[in-house]
PDB file of all heavy atoms in Angstrom:
ATOM      1  N   MET A  29     101.345  43.244 -71.234  1.00 49.00           N
ATOM      2  CA  MET A  29     100.875  42.541 -72.415  1.00 49.00           C
ATOM      3  C   MET A  29     100.645  43.485 -73.583  1.00 49.00           C
ATOM      4  O   MET A  29     100.874  43.125 -74.730  1.00 49.00           O
ATOM      5  CB  MET A  29      99.572  41.805 -72.111  1.00 49.00           C
ATOM      6  CG  MET A  29      99.765  40.618 -71.186  1.00 49.00           C
ATOM      7  SD  MET A  29      98.223  39.764 -70.949  1.00 49.00           S
ATOM      8  CE  MET A  29      98.768  38.419 -69.949  1.00 49.00           C
ATOM      9  N   ASN A  30     100.177  44.718 -73.316  1.00 41.00           N
ATOM     10  CA  ASN A  30      99.846  45.623 -74.396  1.00 41.00           C
ATOM     11  C   ASN A  30     101.051  45.941 -75.266  1.00 41.00           C
ATOM     12  O   ASN A  30     100.910  46.289 -76.422  1.00 41.00           O
ATOM     13  CB  ASN A  30      99.306  46.943 -73.847  1.00 41.00           C
ATOM     14  CG  ASN A  30      98.097  46.744 -72.989  1.00 41.00           C
ATOM     15  OD1 ASN A  30      97.961  45.691 -72.390  1.00 41.00           O
ATOM     16  ND2 ASN A  30      97.235  47.721 -72.929  1.00 41.00           N
ATOM     17  N   GLY A  31     102.242  45.849 -74.723  1.00 37.00           N
ATOM     18  CA  GLY A  31     103.412  46.334 -75.418  1.00 37.00           C
ATOM     19  C   GLY A  31     103.690  45.621 -76.717  1.00 37.00           C
ATOM     20  O   GLY A  31     104.344  46.171 -77.594  1.00 37.00           O
ATOM     21  N   SER A  32     103.230  44.393 -76.890  1.00 34.00           N
ATOM     22  CA  SER A  32     103.519  43.653 -78.115  1.00 34.00           C
ATOM     23  C   SER A  32     102.284  43.451 -78.965  1.00 34.00           C
ATOM     24  O   SER A  32     102.203  42.539 -79.747  1.00 34.00           O
ATOM     25  CB  SER A  32     104.143  42.299 -77.771  1.00 34.00           C
ATOM     26  OG  SER A  32     103.374  41.617 -76.825  1.00 34.00           O
ATOM     27  N   ARG A  33     101.281  44.338 -78.793  1.00 37.00           N
ATOM     28  CA  ARG A  33     100.053  44.178 -79.546  1.00 37.00           C
ATOM     29  C   ARG A  33     100.270  44.582 -80.993  1.00 37.00           C
ATOM     30  O   ARG A  33     100.663  45.709 -81.275  1.00 37.00           O
ATOM     31  CB  ARG A  33      98.939  45.037 -78.934  1.00 37.00           C
ATOM     32  CG  ARG A  33      97.587  44.777 -79.580  1.00 37.00           C
ATOM     33  CD  ARG A  33      96.459  45.463 -78.836  1.00 37.00           C
ATOM     34  NE  ARG A  33      96.420  46.890 -79.077  1.00 37.00           N
ATOM     35  CZ  ARG A  33      96.659  47.799 -78.161  1.00 37.00           C
ATOM     36  NH1 ARG A  33      96.970  47.426 -76.951  1.00 37.00           N
ATOM     37  NH2 ARG A  33      96.589  49.089 -78.434  1.00 37.00           N
ATOM     38  N   PRO A  34     100.001  43.695 -81.962  1.00 37.00           N
ATOM     39  CA  PRO A  34     100.164  44.062 -83.369  1.00 37.00           C
ATOM     40  C   PRO A  34      99.043  44.967 -83.835  1.00 37.00           C
ATOM     41  O   PRO A  34      97.955  44.943 -83.293  1.00 37.00           O
ATOM     42  CB  PRO A  34     100.117  42.711 -84.094  1.00 37.00           C
ATOM     43  CG  PRO A  34      99.329  41.843 -83.197  1.00 37.00           C
ATOM     44  CD  PRO A  34      99.592  42.315 -81.786  1.00 37.00           C
ATOM     45  N   LEU A  35      99.325  45.756 -84.844  1.00 37.00           N
ATOM     46  CA  LEU A  35      98.330  46.621 -85.422  1.00 37.00           C
ATOM     47  C   LEU A  35      97.694  45.956 -86.624  1.00 37.00           C
ATOM     48  O   LEU A  35      98.291  45.118 -87.282  1.00 37.00           O
ATOM     49  CB  LEU A  35      98.970  47.943 -85.855  1.00 37.00           C
ATOM     50  CG  LEU A  35      99.594  48.762 -84.725  1.00 37.00           C
ATOM     51  CD1 LEU A  35     100.291  49.978 -85.317  1.00 37.00           C
ATOM     52  CD2 LEU A  35      98.542  49.192 -83.731  1.00 37.00           C
ATOM     53  N   PRO A  36      96.443  46.329 -86.955  1.00 38.00           N
ATOM     54  CA  PRO A  36      95.785  45.741 -88.115  1.00 38.00           C
ATOM     55  C   PRO A  36      96.617  45.926 -89.369  1.00 38.00           C
ATOM     56  O   PRO A  36      97.059  47.021 -89.691  1.00 38.00           O
ATOM     57  CB  PRO A  36      94.472  46.524 -88.198  1.00 38.00           C
ATOM     58  CG  PRO A  36      94.239  47.021 -86.807  1.00 38.00           C
ATOM     59  CD  PRO A  36      95.612  47.276 -86.246  1.00 38.00           C
ATOM     60  N   GLY A  37      96.835  44.816 -90.101  1.00 36.00           N
ATOM     61  CA  GLY A  37      97.553  44.881 -91.351  1.00 36.00           C
ATOM     62  C   GLY A  37      99.055  45.009 -91.188  1.00 36.00           C
ATOM     63  O   GLY A  37      99.787  45.128 -92.169  1.00 36.00           O
ATOM     64  N   ALA A  38      99.553  45.005 -89.946  1.00 35.00           N
ATOM     65  CA  ALA A  38     100.980  45.181 -89.715  1.00 35.00           C
ATOM     66  C   ALA A  38     101.624  43.864 -89.351  1.00 35.00           C
ATOM     67  O   ALA A  38     100.966  42.914 -88.959  1.00 35.00           O
ATOM     68  CB  ALA A  38     101.199  46.192 -88.587  1.00 35.00           C
ATOM     69  N   PHE A  39     102.959  43.809 -89.474  1.00 35.00           N
ATOM     70  CA  PHE A  39     103.700  42.612 -89.086  1.00 35.00           C
ATOM     71  C   PHE A  39     103.584  42.407 -87.581  1.00 35.00           C
ATOM     72  O   PHE A  39     103.728  43.341 -86.805  1.00 35.00           O
ATOM     73  CB  PHE A  39     105.162  42.788 -89.484  1.00 35.00           C
ATOM     74  CG  PHE A  39     106.030  41.623 -89.079  1.00 35.00           C
ATOM     75  CD1 PHE A  39     105.949  40.425 -89.760  1.00 35.00           C
ATOM     76  CD2 PHE A  39     106.914  41.738 -88.021  1.00 35.00           C
ATOM     77  CE1 PHE A  39     106.753  39.363 -89.398  1.00 35.00           C
ATOM     78  CE2 PHE A  39     107.713  40.676 -87.654  1.00 35.00           C
ATOM     79  CZ  PHE A  39     107.636  39.486 -88.351  1.00 35.00           C
ATOM     80  N   CYS A  40     103.292  41.202 -87.159  1.00 45.00           N
ATOM     81  CA  CYS A  40     103.117  40.927 -85.732  1.00 45.00           C
ATOM     82  C   CYS A  40     104.463  40.923 -85.020  1.00 45.00           C
ATOM     83  O   CYS A  40     105.352  40.151 -85.343  1.00 45.00           O
ATOM     84  CB  CYS A  40     102.417  39.579 -85.555  1.00 45.00           C
ATOM     85  SG  CYS A  40     102.147  39.154 -83.844  1.00 45.00           S
ATOM     86  N   PHE A  41     104.614  41.811 -84.039  1.00 39.00           N
ATOM     87  CA  PHE A  41     105.873  41.945 -83.316  1.00 39.00           C
ATOM     88  C   PHE A  41     106.284  40.638 -82.648  1.00 39.00           C
ATOM     89  O   PHE A  41     107.464  40.306 -82.569  1.00 39.00           O
ATOM     90  CB  PHE A  41     105.740  43.050 -82.265  1.00 39.00           C
ATOM     91  CG  PHE A  41     106.940  43.201 -81.375  1.00 39.00           C
ATOM     92  CD1 PHE A  41     108.074  43.849 -81.817  1.00 39.00           C
ATOM     93  CD2 PHE A  41     106.935  42.677 -80.080  1.00 39.00           C
ATOM     94  CE1 PHE A  41     109.178  43.991 -80.988  1.00 39.00           C
ATOM     95  CE2 PHE A  41     108.033  42.803 -79.258  1.00 39.00           C
ATOM     96  CZ  PHE A  41     109.164  43.465 -79.716  1.00 39.00           C
ATOM     97  N   LEU A  42     105.308  39.856 -82.177  1.00 43.00           N
ATOM     98  CA  LEU A  42     105.632  38.613 -81.473  1.00 43.00           C
ATOM     99  C   LEU A  42     106.362  37.630 -82.382  1.00 43.00           C
ATOM    100  O   LEU A  42     107.162  36.826 -81.910  1.00 43.00           O
ATOM    101  CB  LEU A  42     104.353  37.963 -80.939  1.00 43.00           C
ATOM    102  CG  LEU A  42     103.625  38.728 -79.822  1.00 43.00           C
ATOM    103  CD1 LEU A  42     102.367  37.971 -79.452  1.00 43.00           C
ATOM    104  CD2 LEU A  42     104.511  38.927 -78.625  1.00 43.00           C
ATOM    105  N   ALA A  43     106.104  37.694 -83.687  1.00 39.00           N
ATOM    106  CA  ALA A  43     106.762  36.774 -84.601  1.00 39.00           C
ATOM    107  C   ALA A  43     108.272  37.001 -84.622  1.00 39.00           C
ATOM    108  O   ALA A  43     109.055  36.085 -84.883  1.00 39.00           O
ATOM    109  CB  ALA A  43     106.199  36.939 -86.014  1.00 39.00           C
ATOM    110  N   MET A  44     108.713  38.227 -84.331  1.00 35.00           N
ATOM    111  CA  MET A  44     110.130  38.521 -84.273  1.00 35.00           C
ATOM    112  C   MET A  44     110.805  37.758 -83.147  1.00 35.00           C
ATOM    113  O   MET A  44     112.017  37.519 -83.162  1.00 35.00           O
ATOM    114  CB  MET A  44     110.340  40.025 -84.077  1.00 35.00           C
ATOM    115  CG  MET A  44     109.797  40.878 -85.221  1.00 35.00           C
ATOM    116  SD  MET A  44     109.880  42.644 -84.846  1.00 35.00           S
ATOM    117  CE  MET A  44     111.652  42.845 -84.655  1.00 35.00           C
ATOM    118  N   LEU A  45     109.993  37.394 -82.147  1.00 38.00           N
ATOM    119  CA  LEU A  45     110.514  36.677 -80.983  1.00 38.00           C
ATOM    120  C   LEU A  45     110.342  35.174 -81.122  1.00 38.00           C
ATOM    121  O   LEU A  45     110.594  34.427 -80.179  1.00 38.00           O
ATOM    122  CB  LEU A  45     109.806  37.163 -79.718  1.00 38.00           C
ATOM    123  CG  LEU A  45     109.830  38.685 -79.485  1.00 38.00           C
ATOM    124  CD1 LEU A  45     109.053  39.024 -78.229  1.00 38.00           C
ATOM    125  CD2 LEU A  45     111.260  39.183 -79.384  1.00 38.00           C
ATOM    126  N   GLY A  46     109.871  34.732 -82.268  1.00 39.00           N
ATOM    127  CA  GLY A  46     109.649  33.302 -82.483  1.00 39.00           C
ATOM    128  C   GLY A  46     108.397  32.795 -81.825  1.00 39.00           C
ATOM    129  O   GLY A  46     108.247  31.606 -81.569  1.00 39.00           O
ATOM    130  N   VAL A  47     107.449  33.686 -81.555  1.00 40.00           N
ATOM    131  CA  VAL A  47     106.202  33.327 -80.879  1.00 40.00           C
ATOM    132  C   VAL A  47     105.067  33.409 -81.883  1.00 40.00           C
ATOM    133  O   VAL A  47     104.994  34.347 -82.681  1.00 40.00           O
ATOM    134  CB  VAL A  47     105.934  34.284 -79.697  1.00 40.00           C
ATOM    135  CG1 VAL A  47     104.591  33.964 -79.060  1.00 40.00           C
ATOM    136  CG2 VAL A  47     107.057  34.166 -78.671  1.00 40.00           C
ATOM    137  N   TRP A  48     104.156  32.430 -81.846  1.00 43.00           N
ATOM    138  CA  TRP A  48     103.004  32.454 -82.743  1.00 43.00           C
ATOM    139  C   TRP A  48     102.118  33.637 -82.409  1.00 43.00           C
ATOM    140  O   TRP A  48     101.974  34.043 -81.270  1.00 43.00           O
ATOM    141  CB  TRP A  48     102.193  31.173 -82.578  1.00 43.00           C
ATOM    142  CG  TRP A  48     100.973  31.141 -83.469  1.00 43.00           C
ATOM    143  CD1 TRP A  48     100.885  30.625 -84.721  1.00 43.00           C
ATOM    144  CD2 TRP A  48      99.680  31.652 -83.159  1.00 43.00           C
ATOM    145  NE1 TRP A  48      99.625  30.781 -85.218  1.00 43.00           N
ATOM    146  CE2 TRP A  48      98.858  31.406 -84.278  1.00 43.00           C
ATOM    147  CE3 TRP A  48      99.126  32.307 -82.060  1.00 43.00           C
ATOM    148  CZ2 TRP A  48      97.524  31.781 -84.326  1.00 43.00           C
ATOM    149  CZ3 TRP A  48      97.798  32.693 -82.098  1.00 43.00           C
ATOM    150  CH2 TRP A  48      97.017  32.414 -83.226  1.00 43.00           C
ATOM    151  N   CYS A  49     101.537  34.230 -83.415  1.00 53.00           N
ATOM    152  CA  CYS A  49     100.539  35.266 -83.180  1.00 53.00           C
ATOM    153  C   CYS A  49      99.508  35.200 -84.295  1.00 53.00           C
ATOM    154  O   CYS A  49      99.769  34.643 -85.358  1.00 53.00           O
ATOM    155  CB  CYS A  49     101.174  36.655 -83.117  1.00 53.00           C
ATOM    156  SG  CYS A  49     101.930  37.176 -84.660  1.00 53.00           S
ATOM    157  N   PRO A  50      98.313  35.768 -84.077  1.00 62.00           N
ATOM    158  CA  PRO A  50      97.288  35.723 -85.108  1.00 62.00           C
ATOM    159  C   PRO A  50      97.752  36.439 -86.366  1.00 62.00           C
ATOM    160  O   PRO A  50      98.550  37.369 -86.321  1.00 62.00           O
ATOM    161  CB  PRO A  50      96.114  36.469 -84.465  1.00 62.00           C
ATOM    162  CG  PRO A  50      96.382  36.422 -82.999  1.00 62.00           C
ATOM    163  CD  PRO A  50      97.868  36.433 -82.857  1.00 62.00           C
ATOM    164  N   THR A  51      97.246  36.001 -87.513  1.00 61.00           N
ATOM    165  CA  THR A  51      97.534  36.677 -88.777  1.00 61.00           C
ATOM    166  C   THR A  51      96.537  37.803 -88.964  1.00 61.00           C
ATOM    167  O   THR A  51      95.327  37.587 -88.919  1.00 61.00           O
ATOM    168  CB  THR A  51      97.415  35.683 -89.946  1.00 61.00           C
ATOM    169  OG1 THR A  51      98.337  34.613 -89.740  1.00 61.00           O
ATOM    170  CG2 THR A  51      97.717  36.380 -91.262  1.00 61.00           C
ATOM    171  N   PHE A  52      97.050  39.000 -89.162  1.00 59.00           N
ATOM    172  CA  PHE A  52      96.178  40.142 -89.336  1.00 59.00           C
ATOM    173  C   PHE A  52      95.979  40.413 -90.823  1.00 59.00           C
ATOM    174  O   PHE A  52      96.918  40.413 -91.615  1.00 59.00           O
ATOM    175  CB  PHE A  52      96.754  41.380 -88.639  1.00 59.00           C
ATOM    176  CG  PHE A  52      96.561  41.335 -87.162  1.00 59.00           C
ATOM    177  CD1 PHE A  52      97.319  40.486 -86.367  1.00 59.00           C
ATOM    178  CD2 PHE A  52      95.595  42.114 -86.556  1.00 59.00           C
ATOM    179  CE1 PHE A  52      97.127  40.429 -85.005  1.00 59.00           C
ATOM    180  CE2 PHE A  52      95.394  42.071 -85.185  1.00 59.00           C
ATOM    181  CZ  PHE A  52      96.161  41.226 -84.412  1.00 59.00           C
ATOM    182  N   ALA A  53      94.726  40.644 -91.192  1.00 59.00           N
ATOM    183  CA  ALA A  53      94.402  40.852 -92.598  1.00 59.00           C
ATOM    184  C   ALA A  53      95.053  42.117 -93.119  1.00 59.00           C
ATOM    185  O   ALA A  53      95.142  43.120 -92.429  1.00 59.00           O
ATOM    186  CB  ALA A  53      92.883  40.953 -92.757  1.00 59.00           C
ATOM    187  N   SER A  54      95.530  42.060 -94.337  1.00 54.00           N
ATOM    188  CA  SER A  54      96.109  43.240 -94.970  1.00 54.00           C
ATOM    189  C   SER A  54      95.007  44.063 -95.611  1.00 54.00           C
ATOM    190  O   SER A  54      93.869  43.622 -95.771  1.00 54.00           O
ATOM    191  CB  SER A  54      97.126  42.829 -96.029  1.00 54.00           C
ATOM    192  OG  SER A  54      96.464  42.228 -97.128  1.00 54.00           O
ATOM    193  N   ALA A  55      95.363  45.283 -95.991  1.00 51.00           N
ATOM    194  CA  ALA A  55      94.380  46.179 -96.584  1.00 51.00           C
ATOM    195  C   ALA A  55      93.845  45.641 -97.909  1.00 51.00           C
ATOM    196  O   ALA A  55      92.764  46.019 -98.355  1.00 51.00           O
ATOM    197  CB  ALA A  55      95.001  47.559 -96.786  1.00 51.00           C
ATOM    198  N   GLN A  56      94.627  44.754 -98.566  1.00 56.00           N
ATOM    199  CA  GLN A  56      94.213  44.239 -99.874  1.00 56.00           C
ATOM    200  C   GLN A  56      93.234  43.073 -99.763  1.00 56.00           C
ATOM    201  O   GLN A  56      92.609  42.696-100.746  1.00 56.00           O
ATOM    202  CB  GLN A  56      95.448  43.794-100.677  1.00 56.00           C
ATOM    203  CG  GLN A  56      96.358  44.942-101.135  1.00 56.00           C
ATOM    204  CD  GLN A  56      97.200  45.500-100.005  1.00 56.00           C
ATOM    205  OE1 GLN A  56      97.551  44.761 -99.081  1.00 56.00           O
ATOM    206  NE2 GLN A  56      97.510  46.784-100.068  1.00 56.00           N
ATOM    207  N   MET A  57      93.120  42.467 -98.577  1.00 63.00           N
ATOM    208  CA  MET A  57      92.267  41.292 -98.421  1.00 63.00           C
ATOM    209  C   MET A  57      90.804  41.695 -98.323  1.00 63.00           C
ATOM    210  O   MET A  57      90.464  42.757 -97.822  1.00 63.00           O
ATOM    211  CB  MET A  57      92.680  40.503 -97.175  1.00 63.00           C
ATOM    212  CG  MET A  57      94.064  39.883 -97.261  1.00 63.00           C
ATOM    213  SD  MET A  57      94.475  38.917 -95.801  1.00 63.00           S
ATOM    214  CE  MET A  57      93.299  37.561 -95.956  1.00 63.00           C
ATOM    215  N   SER A  58      89.941  40.830 -98.804  1.00 75.00           N
ATOM    216  CA  SER A  58      88.508  41.044 -98.667  1.00 75.00           C
ATOM    217  C   SER A  58      88.092  40.730 -97.235  1.00 75.00           C
ATOM    218  O   SER A  58      88.370  39.647 -96.723  1.00 75.00           O
ATOM    219  CB  SER A  58      87.755  40.147 -99.651  1.00 75.00           C
ATOM    220  OG  SER A  58      86.374  40.273 -99.472  1.00 75.00           O
TER     221      SER A  58
END
Side-chain angles (χ1 to χ4, degrees):
M29 290 183 177
N30 302 28
S32 51
R33 187 171 75 246
L35 298 175
F39 178 74
C40 180
F41 175 78
L42 293 178
M44 298 173 62
L45 306 178
V47 176
W48 179 92
C49 64
T51 301
F52 283 74
S54 69
Q56 291 76 30
M57 294 182 67
S58 176

